[in-house]
Amino acid sequence: MKSRVFAIDSRAGYKENAFGKLNRLLDAVGVDKGIKAQDLVALKLHFGEKGNTGFVSPLFVRQVVDKITALKAQPFLTALKAQPFLTDANTLYGGTRNDSVNHLTTAIQNGFAFAVAGAPLIIADGLKGTSATQVQVDLKHIQTAYIAMDIVEADALISLAHFKGHELTGFGGTLKNLGMGCAARRGKLVQHSNLSPKVKSKHCEACGDCVKSCAHSAISFVETGKKKKARIDPEKCIGCAECILVCPNQAIRVQWNKSVPQFMEKMVEYTAAVLKNKNGKAFFLNFLTHISPVCDCVPHTDAPIVNDVGILASTDPIALDQASADLVNQQAGLPGVCPEAGMKPGKDKFRALHPDADWTIQLDYGEKIGLGSRNYDLEWLETK
């Protein structure tokens, strides 16, 4: 049976603005049926690295918060309301979200203060990423997953993902927002454990950006002939991939072998762990706006690869990510950012950006382990 995916486009007018359309989207996906009064509701999003502007706007997040807090109990219990909170887990790499103090500071600086978003901020895996709950899944790679404690303990979950390109998974959508984003530090390490990038010496100019960025002292310079070149110590490397992002010469590459499909499968198994105790209480939204080439973990936001598409919602994370990828690929690529191979409508924008990252792996495997279906019916909500 096909899964239902609901969508609104980016058009707005005097009769209905974008916020009104988002509210109808939340009604269509049924948040009022899954979330009850007194539920503690985790809104899982990415607050954006400092310097990044591509993340989901806190103004849209406020609409979701208001929708949840408006869900009341029976008339004689009107004081009881659902309680949303904004959340994410700390990162592996040494950016501005590596511990809860810096993470919260970055979130507030990026506009997610209570006065704007209307809900408290909670970093779900504690001060240094060690607050985890063990979730038994017994899957191909992961038997016990380590999920950020406050996400496990939340009564309900809404994923608010910015859909964009990603250097390891082709694109980042709901599966990545949940599988990687909800993992505590130990869980992130498990997922990245086989990913050790390699330096292409002929492209390395020994600028030192990678050495400065590595939080684990895994990169150093070695003499190669008459020149110094960067070298990555696989014993120290945790596979966080930050060095790939910061290298201005694209000299650091992932070793595209069986480790990358395995990474995606682990990420999907972690998504299964996140959703294990959220049956009927989980909802997923993908924001197909400012669809940037790489993740919001970088401290900048490049121009979008295609025009804005809109916002999609579903209770099936596989169908949602599949529909999102399909809609992006149906667009014409924007000059200067989208590679020539992906410019025409119908061409795969994500394979053009990241040729070695087969994004279908995560969807095929998610379908295989029962997370959802790649077959879907797309229902557009008409603009009033």
Side-chain angles (χ1 to χ4, degrees):
M1 188 173 70
K2 292 184 177 180
S3 295
R4 299 176 76 186
V5 178
F6 302 93
I8 57 174
D9 62 25
S10 298
R11 301 299 302 275
Y14 289 108
K15 290 185 178 180
E16 186 179 42
N17 61 23
F19 298 151
K21 293 175 73 171
L22 176 56
N23 269 278
R24 286 199 292 123
L25 185 66
L26 293 168
D27 287 336
V29 80
V31 294
D32 59 324
K33 296 179 178 63
I35 298 174
K36 305 302 180 186
Q38 287 189 296
D39 276 354
L40 295 172
V41 185
L43 302 190
K44 170 61 182 74
L45 58 150
H46 190 307
F47 297 122
E49 195 67 21
K50 189 174 182 179
N52 190 287
T53 58
F55 50 84
V56 176
S57 168
L59 299 179
F60 282 116
V61 175
R62 178 59 182 258
Q63 302 307 307
V64 181
V65 168
D66 289 347
K67 189 74 172 180
I68 295 169
T69 54
L71 300 175
K72 298 178 180 178
Q74 300 298 323
F76 55 88
L77 294 173
T78 54
L80 301 179
K81 299 181 179 180
Q83 302 293 327
F85 62 95
L86 314 185
T87 193
D88 197 3
N90 290 311
T91 62
L92 277 179
Y93 62 86
T96 62
R97 299 178 301 119
N98 189 251
D99 61 71
S100 289
V101 175
N102 284 300
H103 202 155
L104 289 169
T105 300
T106 299
I108 293 168
Q109 289 174 341
N110 282 350
F112 293 96
F114 189 97
V116 178
L121 298 166
I122 297 175
I123 304 304
D125 60 345
L127 184 63
K128 295 184 178 180
T130 58
S131 180
T133 296
Q134 295 185 37
V135 178
Q136 201 75 19
V137 289
D138 295 321
L139 291 167
K140 178 180 175 182
H141 304 288
I142 306 298
Q143 282 70 52
T144 302
Y146 298 89
I147 306 299
M149 182 178 292
D150 293 335
I151 288 173
V152 175
E153 293 190 347
D155 300 304
L157 172 69
I158 298 180
S159 169
L160 304 174
H162 174 220
F163 197 80
K164 67 280 179 186
H166 193 275
E167 57 284 353
L168 294 180
T169 56
F171 67 71
T174 293
L175 292 176
K176 187 169 187 305
N177 190 43
L178 296 178
M180 184 58 63
C182 293
R185 183 179 299 277
R186 184 171 177 179
K188 288 182 169 69
L189 280 167
V190 168
Q191 292 178 63
H192 285 88
S193 61
N194 296 323
L195 286 173
S196 181
K198 189 173 183 178
V199 177
K200 296 285 186 180
S201 294
K202 66 179 181 179
H203 298 298
C204 177
E205 296 183 358
C207 67
D209 287 357
C210 59
V211 176
K212 294 174 186 175
S213 72
C214 184
H216 303 275
S217 302
I219 308 177
S220 59
F221 289 123
V222 296
E223 295 288 345
T224 304
K226 296 181 179 180
K227 296 181 179 180
K228 286 185 177 181
K229 300 290 182 177
R231 179 185 175 278
I232 299 173
D233 183 347
E235 296 298 320
K236 294 181 179 179
C237 176
I238 65 167
C240 72
E242 187 178 13
C243 56
I244 297 172
L245 298 175
V246 303
C247 179
N249 304 303
Q250 296 184 321
I252 303 178
R253 316 278 179 86
V254 171
Q255 299 186 66
W256 296 100
N257 50 32
K258 67 178 182 179
S259 66
V260 176
Q262 189 178 97
F263 164 76
M264 289 196 209
E265 290 180 355
K266 286 180 180 180
M267 182 183 76
V268 172
E269 291 181 1
Y270 259 74
T271 301
V274 171
L275 298 177
K276 187 173 181 180
N277 72 335
K278 299 292 189 295
N279 188 33
K281 308 280 286 183
F283 304 89
F284 318 109
L285 279 75
N286 278 351
F287 287 71
L288 278 64
T289 56
H290 201 109
I291 303 163
S292 48
V294 296
C295 186
D296 296 337
C297 293
V298 299
H300 62 271
T301 300
D302 201 353
I305 59 173
V306 298
N307 286 322
D308 287 357
V309 176
I311 308 172
L312 275 61
S314 183
T315 55
D316 181 338
I318 305 297
L320 180 61
D321 275 357
Q322 179 69 65
S324 298
D326 289 345
L327 286 172
V328 171
N329 287 335
Q330 289 169 16
Q331 309 301 307
L334 294 179
V337 184
C338 188
E340 187 66 30
M343 286 296 291
K344 293 182 179 179
K347 293 293 184 179
D348 192 330
K349 308 297 181 289
F350 303 109
R351 289 303 290 266
L353 283 165
H354 309 292
D356 296 314
D358 182 359
W359 54 265
T360 64
I361 292 170
Q362 57 185 303
L363 301 177
D364 281 336
Y365 189 65
E367 188 173 53
K368 181 179 179 180
I369 66 172
L371 278 182
S373 172
R374 294 185 68 180
N375 293 316
Y376 62 89
D377 283 321
L378 184 62
E379 301 179 34
W380 289 94
L381 307 184
E382 293 184 4
T383 302
K384 292 182 179 179

